Structure formats: C-alpha cells, structure tokens
Amino acid sequence: MKLNITTKIVIGFTLGVIIGQILHSTSDPATAAEIGNKFQIVSKVFLKLIKMIVGPLVFSTLVVGIAKLGDFKVVGRIGIKTLGYFYFATILSLVVGLVVVNITRPGTIQSWPRPASGTSIGIEGKKLNSVEEFILHIFPDSAFRALAENEILQIVVFSLFFGIALGAIGEKGKGLMKALDALSELVFKMVGYVMQLAPYAVLGAMTAVVAAKGLEILVSYAYLLLCFYGGLLFFVFVILAGICTFMRIPFFKLLAQMKESLLLSFSTASSEASLPQQIKALEKFGISPRIIGFVLPLGYSFNLDGSMMYMTFATGFLAQAYGVTLTLEQQILMLLTLMVTSKGIAGVPRASLVVIAGTMAMFDLPPEGLALILGVDPFLDMGRSATSVAGNAVATCVISKWEGDFVKPADPIAVED
C-alpha cells in the first residue's frame, strides 16, 4: 500500500520523538545534542530548499495574478482590505494571549528559579527600531538582492510594480506572462521533488529537539504548555472558526484541505516550510491564484497570529515569574507597542524572542529571564507556527470572499498525495 505524504510525515514525527528520547536517555546531554544535530542536517537542507523555491514562486504567481487584473485600483483595494484584516487579526491574537496568561497565571502556579544576572540567552537578530526604518525596509533597493536574501515583503513590492507594468503594456507583455506562468508551474514541480524530503526532515528536526531537551521538560513545563496550547486551540477553534462562520466559509473543510501544511509547519516549527503546500491547498479550496499570491506572502510579515499571541503570553508569564504586576494600562501599552514592533519580523532568527526581549525592557524585566522559556521554546514554536498557518489560510479565504471570487469547494475535498 502506497503511503501518502501526510502519513509519512506522521511516521517521521513519531520516529523522531522515539529516537530523540533514546539518545537523551542513554547519552550525556552534550553527546545527545551533538548526535541530534547530525540528524537535523536533513531538516536544515529541506528548509534551505524551501527557501530557495519561495522567492521565485511568490514572484511568478503574484506577477501573473496582478497582470491579469491589469488595474492599479483593484490592487490597491485588495491591499487595503488585506492590511485591514491583518491588523484586526493581530489585535485579536494579542488580546487572546493577554487574557489567557491573566486567567491561567502560569508564572505563579509554581516557583520558577530566576536565572543569574548576566546569563547568556543567545538571542541575536536585527529588530526594526522605528516606523521610518520599517517603511524603508519594505522597499527593495535591488530586486535581485531581495530574491537572494528571501525578503518576502520586498519581493511582494517589486512583484506588484512588475505585474502592474506588465498588464499595462498589453499585447507586448503576453509572451512574458506565459513564460512566468510556465515558471510558476515549473516551481510547483520542484516543490513536488523537495517534498519527498519532508518526512526525513521532520524525523531529523524532532530527533534534534528531543535529544537535546528530552521529553522530561514537557513534565516540568506541563502547566505552561497546557495554558499556551489551550490558548492556541481557543484562537483556532473559536476565533478563527467564528470568523469563518460569519463569512460563510466552511472552516472544517478548510482545515481538512490544510492538514498537510499544518502538520509540516508543526513538525518543523516553521510556517515558511509549508508555503508551497498552502498555495496548492488554497487553490483546491476555491481561492484564485491572484488572491493567494497577494495575501499569503504579506501574511508572513503582517499576520503571524501564533507568534503574536506568544509575545503577549510569554511577556505576561515572565512578569508573573518575577513577581511584577502589570497594570491594565501597562498591558494596553504592551499590546499597542507589539502591534507596531512585531511587524516585519519574518526571516529574523527566533524573531518572537527578539521582540519579547525588547518588550521586557519596557517593564524593567531582566533580559536573562528569557532563559526560563528557552528550553521549552522549540515545543512552543511548533504550536505557534501551525497556528500562524491556519490564520493565514483564513485570511486568504476572507479576502477572497470580500472580493467575490470565492468558489465553494466540492464535498468531499480531494486531497492529493
């Protein structure tokens, strides 16, 4: 019997957990982590191949979609609707994170050892420090550099100008449009080849995480994990499901179509890893390529719902662990600050932690406090990555519905291997 890719990923995930725990139990921590990192080579190769594909895929699909529209006003209208929805979803996810941490109070349920002053947390990465810097960062000074460095937001901006200009030159641009359409098909063919590595990448990623941390860490952080994942489930099955119900979008059919993308993002703790699968799944669901090509790439900078929720939740948790009471005014200030500072962070290593570290400084919380969650962060990252994928899928469907080109999916949905 031939196994589909989803089943293979589940098998890889399970084997990775088992192998990782065996390594963790039978070797000293340093040796287990070293061996686990060797398993992770395949995972790192897989993610590099995905990143290699994402730039050309976003460029070709978005340019063709925009060129077929041929109207700058239509592009502007879709853009305003998209950004409006993204900020609406951002507020909801940040508020959910705050409400969950205030109700469950994971920082007070047990005594958390405070890391020594000056403890290295290994958080590195560039954070955009002002609105001006963020605006300038959106616009590329070189289209080739944007593609080479996988700056998705800059690729989207260049693609918008390219697509509008291509549509404006009419008949002269038809040959180039066909070529870009063929490029899109070619990249999707490459995706099929790369996806054959996915089960092995998942096995390597899980082996590395479990070998280094061990499943024992899940016991010591059980309540924290329960609170955070409970919040994620609430966001997905109440907030996102509620939005879909209001918009008359079949939410559970959407999840069924997205199951491979969700599983891959969860297993690799990377929402970007499943972008090509998301595009294919949403097309099967009845969304036009022009909407998908525009909304999804923007979502990676503006609509990472899982990460947004994590930022308020983790900051609240660390404040509780240090015995610092944040007033309602301070929490509202945190929410408003994160609405701005969290944008444009895609592609920054451990981006959520970088932003959280900056937010902690606002409330005089010591940066070494992040060491309290570093050990369990890979397991938290899995949940927030999958939630961000679900959030962007819903966002794409909502914009498609507003634009009146949503095609109701057939029942049952045929999901290809």
Side-chain angles (χ1 to χ4, degrees):
M1 181 179 68
K2 185 180 178 182
L3 299 176
N4 62 28
I5 191 68
T6 305
T7 305
K8 290 177 181 177
I9 289 173
V10 171
I11 292 172
F13 182 92
T14 306
L15 287 175
V17 171
I18 294 170
I19 295 170
Q21 185 59 26
I22 291 172
L23 286 172
H24 183 78
S25 303
T26 58
S27 308
D28 62 88
T31 303
E34 184 181 351
I35 297 173
N37 284 335
K38 290 179 180 177
F39 273 88
Q40 202 175 18
I41 290 174
V42 179
S43 179
K44 290 178 179 178
V45 168
F46 172 75
L47 291 176
K48 277 182 172 290
L49 290 173
I50 289 291
K51 288 180 179 180
M52 173 188 76
I53 290 169
V54 164
L57 182 60
V58 169
F59 173 72
S60 58
T61 54
L62 185 52
V63 166
V64 172
I66 297 300
K68 287 179 180 177
L69 287 175
D71 189 344
F72 187 80
K73 290 181 180 178
V74 175
V75 176
R77 184 184 71 229
I78 296 173
I80 290 170
K81 289 179 180 178
T82 300
L83 292 178
Y85 175 84
F86 283 169
Y87 271 97
F88 169 70
T90 294
I91 292 170
L92 287 178
S93 53
L94 290 171
V95 168
V96 168
L98 271 179
V99 170
V100 170
V101 80
N102 278 307
I103 291 175
T104 58
R105 302 193 63 79
T108 61
I109 204 71
Q110 67 187 74
S111 178
W112 295 96
R114 298 181 184 181
S117 179
T119 299
S120 175
I121 54 175
I123 302 299
E124 297 178 1
K126 182 182 178 184
K127 185 168 65 129
L128 302 178
N129 295 311
S130 67
V131 175
E132 180 185 359
E133 189 178 351
F134 171 61
I135 292 172
L136 291 175
H137 179 73
I138 292 174
F139 299 94
D141 50 14
S142 166
F144 296 104
R145 182 185 298 171
L147 285 164
E149 296 178 356
N150 238 32
E151 290 281 359
I152 298 298
L153 202 52
Q154 294 183 2
I155 294 171
V156 169
V157 171
F158 176 72
S159 301
L160 288 175
F161 280 97
F162 196 101
I164 291 167
L166 182 59
I169 63 175
E171 288 292 326
K172 293 181 180 179
K174 284 191 173 179
L176 182 55
M177 195 183 300
K178 286 182 180 179
L180 288 170
D181 219 353
L183 174 62
S184 177
E185 290 296 320
L186 185 150
V187 173
F188 273 119
K189 193 68 177 177
M190 291 172 64
V191 168
Y193 300 146
V194 173
M195 279 305 295
Q196 299 304 311
L197 273 180
Y200 305 100
V202 169
L203 187 152
M206 289 311 302
T207 299
V209 169
V210 178
K213 309 296 180 184
L215 294 178
E216 297 85 356
I217 197 171
L218 301 182
V219 176
S220 57
Y221 282 88
Y223 186 68
L224 175 67
L225 287 161
L226 181 65
C227 295
F228 182 65
Y229 273 86
L232 291 178
L233 291 172
F234 176 84
F235 185 81
V236 172
F237 290 101
V238 176
I239 303 296
L240 293 182
I243 291 171
C244 286
T245 300
F246 180 77
M247 296 297 298
R248 296 184 179 179
I249 297 166
F251 178 69
F252 289 99
K253 288 182 180 179
L254 175 62
L255 287 189
Q257 192 68 273
M258 296 294 297
K259 65 181 181 181
E260 182 183 308
S261 300
L262 293 168
L263 180 59
L264 184 59
S265 291
F266 180 84
S267 304
T268 59
S270 169
S271 52
E272 192 178 65
S274 66
L275 178 59
Q277 283 67 45
Q278 291 176 62
I279 293 173
K280 291 173 67 177
L282 288 169
E283 284 181 355
K284 292 176 195 171
F285 192 67
I287 313 299
S288 68
R290 71 186 180 99
I291 298 293
I292 297 170
F294 186 86
V295 177
L296 268 188
L298 281 179
Y300 277 85
S301 286
F302 290 96
N303 194 47
L304 297 171
D305 294 331
S307 294
M308 298 298 106
M309 190 182 138
Y310 182 63
M311 289 175 194
T312 48
F313 179 90
T315 306
F317 162 74
L318 293 170
Q320 291 169 8
Y322 273 87
V324 176
T325 301
L326 298 179
T327 64
L328 179 61
E329 290 79 9
Q330 286 177 313
Q331 294 191 42
I332 292 173
L333 175 63
M334 180 205 305
L335 191 149
L336 294 175
T337 303
L338 286 172
M339 277 184 61
V340 177
T341 59
S342 62
K343 301 307 177 187
I345 62 171
V348 178
R350 306 175 91 172
S352 297
L353 295 177
V354 173
V355 176
I356 291 168
T359 308
M360 290 173 68
M362 289 174 51
F363 305 106
D364 297 321
L365 293 170
E368 60 267 13
L370 272 177
L372 283 176
I373 57 173
L374 284 181
V376 77
D377 185 69
F379 296 100
L380 298 170
D381 199 9
M382 293 160 70
R384 62 183 186 252
S385 295
T387 302
S388 295
V389 169
N392 277 321
V394 170
T396 308
C397 293
V398 168
I399 303 303
S400 179
K401 194 83 171 181
W402 279 342
E403 283 297 297
D405 68 354
F406 179 79
V407 180
K408 188 175 180 180
D411 191 12
I413 298 172
V415 182
E416 293 181 5
D417 291 350

